[in-house]
């Protein structure tokens, strides 16, 4: 993963916000959140690690009346240890709370509840059993991810969804160890695996898996496979040229000016062509007076020239 380029301009569309949020995961976030709403599930939303706000902006779009959306990130704050400080300096040097808030407010009228602190404090700030959706995308160090998963377990409602980012990226082995350890030893049940994220629950995964499979099988832009491992059904989805789902533009969106259509070529009609001049009277008379032998010779000479 390379650093996403930060900007100091207001985004016009979600695609303008720097960050790593592939179309497949945008579609899956939207599907899980809309499914919860259709089922009448009410609960808060939580994101640990926001970077420039790309996924937070999408989450905020699905906030229902009476719900609270909380985000937690170090921003410019001090890291809790040297390893986390080195990680933040390397990958998130351009991250500021001001940049996040500017991007978020381009799409929404109010900010979420912002915790500018290490993710380890979130359990003190968010009450247990209150969230229906938690996105964990903070530190990639094993010790921190282990704690974030434990916090998500306590904060989530029984049938809530947790999403673990970078669970199988080559540069984040700490996330991989913590994620699969949670599956094997801490009761986390996988629902779906995308190229980048693990979607899971501490509730019963089967009902949501069946609905998800029905939806994915109807799409032509998703590669789908189902495997079994350690007693868990693993639904694996990958993009096949997927486009991001529709998302409302920001208040700063400027529609592109349509390109001018090229002028249609004008077909030349026979009437527009200059008429061939009629042969003169003298030429017609000369032609009529030529002996047949001479006339044939003239015609042959003309044919040879052409």
């Amino acid at each position: 993963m390379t650093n996403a380029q930060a900007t100091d301009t207001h985004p016009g569309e979600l695609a303008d916000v720097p960050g790593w949020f592939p179309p497949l995961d945008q579609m899956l976030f939207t599907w899980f959140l809309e499914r919860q709403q259709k089922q009448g599930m009410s609960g808060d939303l939580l994101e640990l690690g926001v970077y420039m706000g790309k996924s937070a902006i999408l989450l905020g779009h699905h906030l229902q009346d009476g719900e609270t959306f909380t985000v937690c990130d170090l921003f410019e704050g001090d890291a809790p240890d040297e390893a986390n400080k080195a990680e933040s300096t390397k990958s998130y040097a351009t991250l500021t709370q001001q940049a996040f808030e500017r991007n978020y407010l381009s799409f929404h009228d109010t900010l979420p509840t912002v915790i500018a602190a290490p993710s380890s404090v979130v359990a003190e700030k968010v009450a247990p059993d209150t969230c229906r959706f938690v996105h964990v995308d903070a530190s990639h160090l094993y010790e921190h991810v282990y704690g974030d998963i434990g916090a998500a377990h306590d904060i989530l409602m029984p049938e809530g969804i947790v999403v673990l980012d970078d669970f199988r990226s080559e540069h984040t082995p700490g996330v991989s160890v913590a994620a699969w350890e949670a599956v094997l030893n801490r009761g986390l049940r996988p629902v779906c695996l995308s190229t980048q994220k693990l979607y899971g629950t501490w509730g019963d995964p089967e009902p949501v898996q069946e609905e998800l499979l029905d939806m994915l099988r109807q799409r032509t832009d998703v590669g789908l496979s189902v495997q079994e491992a350690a007693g868990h059904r693993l639904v694996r989805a990958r993009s096949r040229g997927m486009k991001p789902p529709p998302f409302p533009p920001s208040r700063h969106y400027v529609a592109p000016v349509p390109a001018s259509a090229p002028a249609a070529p004008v077909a030349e009609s026979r009437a527009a062509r200059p008429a061939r001049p009629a042969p003169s009277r003298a030429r017609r008379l000369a032609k009529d007076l030529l002996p047949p032998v001479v006339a044939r010779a003239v015609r042959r000479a003309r044919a040879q020239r052409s």
Side-chain angles (χ1 to χ4, degrees):
M1 178 178 69
T2 58
N3 288 347
Q5 182 62 44
T7 67
D8 57 0
T9 58
H10 293 284
E13 299 178 279
L14 189 62
D16 297 332
V17 180
W20 308 272
F21 196 26
L24 174 61
D25 289 301
Q26 293 183 40
M27 182 273 289
L28 289 171
F29 269 50
T30 301
W31 185 86
F32 279 106
L33 291 161
E34 288 183 348
R35 177 184 181 272
Q36 290 178 336
Q37 293 165 354
K38 291 174 183 175
Q39 290 190 327
M41 181 184 292
S42 180
D44 297 333
L45 309 178
L46 172 65
E47 180 165 82
L48 306 182
V50 299
Y51 192 55
M52 294 291 174
K54 197 165 193 172
S55 54
I57 291 166
L58 187 147
L59 283 168
H61 183 65
H62 295 275
L63 192 65
Q64 303 176 109
D65 291 341
E67 296 180 337
T68 299
F69 180 26
T70 303
V71 301
C72 179
D73 204 295
L74 273 176
F75 296 111
E76 305 99 312
D78 294 330
D81 54 60
E82 288 301 315
N84 195 197
K85 180 178 179 180
E87 179 186 31
S88 298
T89 301
K90 178 180 178 181
S91 300
Y92 309 111
T94 59
L95 174 59
T96 66
Q97 186 171 344
Q98 181 183 18
F100 163 76
E101 293 181 356
R102 180 194 64 233
N103 292 336
Y104 192 90
L105 290 175
S106 294
F107 294 85
H108 300 286
D109 294 332
T110 58
L111 287 169
T113 300
V114 178
I115 302 174
S119 58
S120 56
V121 309
V122 75
E124 305 169 7
K125 305 289 186 180
V126 182
D129 300 320
T130 57
C131 287
R132 60 185 172 96
F133 194 98
V134 175
H135 182 209
V136 178
D137 188 14
S139 172
H140 296 140
L141 303 174
Y142 167 77
E143 294 79 7
H144 295 279
V145 181
Y146 181 94
D148 292 344
I149 293 173
H153 170 268
D154 296 339
I155 290 168
L156 271 176
M157 301 165 64
E159 299 300 323
I161 296 293
V162 62
V163 185
L164 306 180
D165 183 64
D166 275 332
F167 81 103
R168 62 179 183 184
S169 298
E170 62 181 359
H171 67 289
T172 57
V175 182
S176 301
V177 174
W180 290 117
E181 181 184 44
V183 171
L184 295 174
N185 301 324
R186 304 175 75 184
L188 181 62
R189 309 287 298 276
V191 175
C192 176
L193 312 178
S194 71
T195 306
Q196 190 163 314
K197 301 178 187 289
L198 184 154
Y199 297 72
T201 182
W202 278 278
D204 182 3
E206 187 171 348
V208 63
Q209 270 191 336
E210 290 300 326
E211 291 183 37
L212 180 64
L213 282 167
D214 288 343
M215 182 274 292
L216 294 175
R217 285 169 178 150
Q218 296 177 39
R219 299 186 66 112
T220 59
D221 56 359
V222 177
L224 180 63
S225 64
V226 180
Q227 300 179 11
E228 296 283 338
H232 296 279
R233 180 168 65 168
L234 306 178
V235 175
R236 299 177 59 239
R238 63 187 184 280
S239 172
R240 287 182 172 173
M242 180 181 292
K243 303 297 183 184
F247 194 82
S250 85
R251 67 183 79 254
H252 305 289
Y253 176 76
V254 178
V257 178
S260 300
V266 178
E268 185 181 5
S269 65
R270 290 184 176 273
R273 298 176 186 172
R276 180 179 297 177
S280 65
R281 183 171 182 272
R283 186 176 177 183
R284 290 198 305 270
L285 289 173
K287 181 179 178 181
D288 294 340
L289 295 174
L290 284 175
V293 175
V294 176
R296 285 195 297 271
V298 171
R299 286 196 295 271
R300 282 198 298 270
R302 288 177 178 171
Q304 291 172 355
R305 286 198 301 270
S306 62

